[in-house]
Amino acid sequence: VIKFRYSSHHNATSANINMRRFSSTCVHHFSKACTNNRRRDHAFSTYGAWVAPKERRTGAGGMSVFGAYAQQYASSRPTYPAAFWDMVVSTVVDTSAQAAPYTAVDIACGAGVGALELWRRGLCVTAVDLDDLMLKELCRMHTQQHMPTDSAYRIEIVQAAAEDTGLPSGSADLIVALQSFHWFEASTALREFRRVLKPEGVLVCAWNDRDLSLGWVRRLEGIFEKYNPAYNRSLKQAETITQNGSAFTSGGLFQLMRPMQVYNQVQVLTRGATSLCQLNRTLSYVQNALDEPQRHQLESEVEEVVRQEFGSTDSPIDFPWQTKAFFLKLATS
């Protein structure tokens, strides 16, 4: 069992992860930041209106949208393709230079898919999230994957909001926000990212979007829209969330380094419709929005789509995803 303590630094597990909560001198600062986030909840009215306010911010200053099903989230969600990570690292790391370790921050890291991959690739990583249950899942995943404990660099874990990380100014070479920017108060988060990044630092925001070019995938979207009228398929697409990238650049803080990058990938759902329904139960607009009878009805319709498309509900499904990524640097005046 991983225990959170109010000391500045301590080892959370025998694995090479350093779990940090704010020290007693910083508790007031952390609580104040979370109170401000609660006051900003109206900014999320376009996305996540189906999540109850008490699930967005807990009384302890945390967040619990996904924490209740953190392990299923970690095991069911798609990862990001190697070509994407190659691009991320090559954009930041100068292999010809003998520089100090490159520092990366995974914002709203969840179960740590980004933090762990960056650590594997030799960066010094800080993982930031408000949800303590997701942070515990990151530690569990690290141990479960038998990752080496003799690395020179640790993964430091900080429970904090994207809009107020508490990290030192000018300290990061790279910030990544994966499948998360749509939950932030955009302008405040971008100001915080600019503060934390070094002058030559890079911000990467990316999403895994379902490939809507396929008819059966569009039918799935129709089922989600039927059971949750607050959700619609365009709302979740990266182009909509970012206004084709202008959400990052309109405030004059960042500029695009290249057009939106798209990487096609397939996630093999080995148990067919069962795996697909497990994946769907990690979506906030399903799991947090519907009661159990509604979820069962939704899943019956999903199974019927799978049966009609593949002839069986049991055969593995190659589920199509499009990883869409925006690479940004600090804007120059």
Side-chain angles (χ1 to χ4, degrees):
V1 178
I2 300 170
K3 295 182 179 179
F4 290 76
R5 302 175 184 170
Y6 284 92
S7 59
S8 295
H9 294 278
H10 70 280
N11 289 331
T13 70
S14 59
N16 199 21
I17 290 187
N18 186 48
M19 181 74 82
R20 189 184 84 177
R21 287 291 295 270
F22 289 90
S23 66
S24 59
T25 58
C26 296
V27 168
H28 174 70
H29 166 72
F30 180 59
S31 301
K32 180 180 179 182
C34 291
T35 300
N36 288 341
N37 286 335
R38 284 197 293 272
R39 284 200 290 265
R40 288 201 298 268
D41 269 347
H42 67 275
F44 295 107
S45 58
T46 300
Y47 190 88
W50 48 84
V51 178
K54 66 180 181 181
E55 293 180 332
R56 293 190 181 183
R57 299 288 188 268
T58 67
M63 182 176 181
S64 60
V65 173
F66 301 104
Y69 45 94
Q71 190 166 341
Q72 185 170 331
Y73 185 104
S75 62
S76 299
R77 287 291 184 104
T79 57
Y80 291 78
F84 163 72
W85 289 117
D86 291 343
M87 177 69 77
V88 171
V89 173
S90 65
T91 301
V92 175
V93 175
D94 182 359
T95 56
S96 65
Q98 298 295 319
Y102 288 89
T103 56
V105 180
D106 184 3
I107 297 286
C109 64
V113 63
L116 293 173
E117 181 63 30
L118 291 168
W119 186 79
R120 290 187 194 98
R121 289 172 177 257
L123 282 77
C124 187
V125 180
T126 299
V128 178
D129 204 295
L130 267 178
D131 193 325
D132 62 332
L133 294 178
M134 292 296 274
L135 294 175
K136 290 180 182 181
E137 181 61 19
L138 189 163
C139 293
R140 190 190 71 82
M141 291 289 291
H142 184 280
T143 303
Q144 183 184 65
Q145 294 176 21
H146 305 291
M147 301 182 75
T149 60
D150 57 353
S151 169
Y153 313 124
R154 293 172 179 260
I155 295 178
E156 183 178 32
I157 293 180
V158 177
Q159 186 179 13
E163 299 88 349
D164 189 0
T165 65
L167 299 178
S169 298
S171 60
D173 296 293
L174 169 68
I175 290 177
V176 297
L178 308 177
Q179 208 73 23
S180 58
F181 190 83
H182 50 287
W183 289 102
F184 305 160
E185 200 291 300
S187 60
T188 308
L190 289 172
R191 285 195 297 273
E192 176 69 352
F193 298 166
R194 183 181 175 101
R195 182 188 69 79
V196 172
L197 282 170
K198 296 178 181 178
E200 302 301 320
V202 174
L203 169 63
V204 179
C205 295
W207 287 263
N208 280 326
D209 286 344
R210 289 180 289 272
D211 186 350
L212 299 183
S213 68
L214 300 178
W216 72 274
V217 177
R218 293 196 298 272
R219 290 176 64 192
L220 293 179
E221 294 289 338
I223 295 172
F224 298 143
E225 292 166 345
K226 171 184 175 181
Y227 284 90
N228 182 354
Y231 170 83
N232 70 77
R233 67 194 69 186
S234 64
L235 188 65
K236 183 58 192 60
Q237 294 291 302
E239 298 91 330
T240 303
I241 295 167
T242 67
Q243 302 168 43
N244 292 310
S246 66
F248 300 121
T249 61
S250 59
L253 300 177
F254 287 91
Q255 62 188 68
L256 288 168
M257 302 177 69
R258 52 181 67 97
M260 183 182 76
Q261 302 293 292
V262 180
Y263 307 84
N264 293 307
Q265 64 165 324
V266 169
Q267 179 188 16
V268 180
L269 303 177
T270 57
R271 299 173 61 200
T274 298
S275 295
L276 179 55
C277 289
Q278 288 175 341
L279 169 62
N280 292 341
R281 281 184 176 243
T282 71
L283 306 174
S284 68
Y285 43 88
V286 174
Q287 188 67 16
N288 299 73
L290 309 180
D291 58 29
E292 193 62 22
Q294 290 174 318
R295 286 193 287 267
H296 280 300
Q297 292 171 10
L298 179 148
E299 288 168 358
S300 294
E301 295 192 28
V302 168
E303 289 172 355
E304 184 58 28
V305 170
V306 171
R307 183 180 293 107
Q308 291 179 11
E309 179 67 22
F310 300 102
S312 168
T313 59
D314 300 325
S315 300
I317 298 171
D318 288 343
F319 198 91
W321 296 96
Q322 292 185 311
T323 299
K324 301 172 182 175
F326 294 87
F327 290 75
L328 302 115
K329 62 181 180 179
L330 275 59
T332 55
S333 54

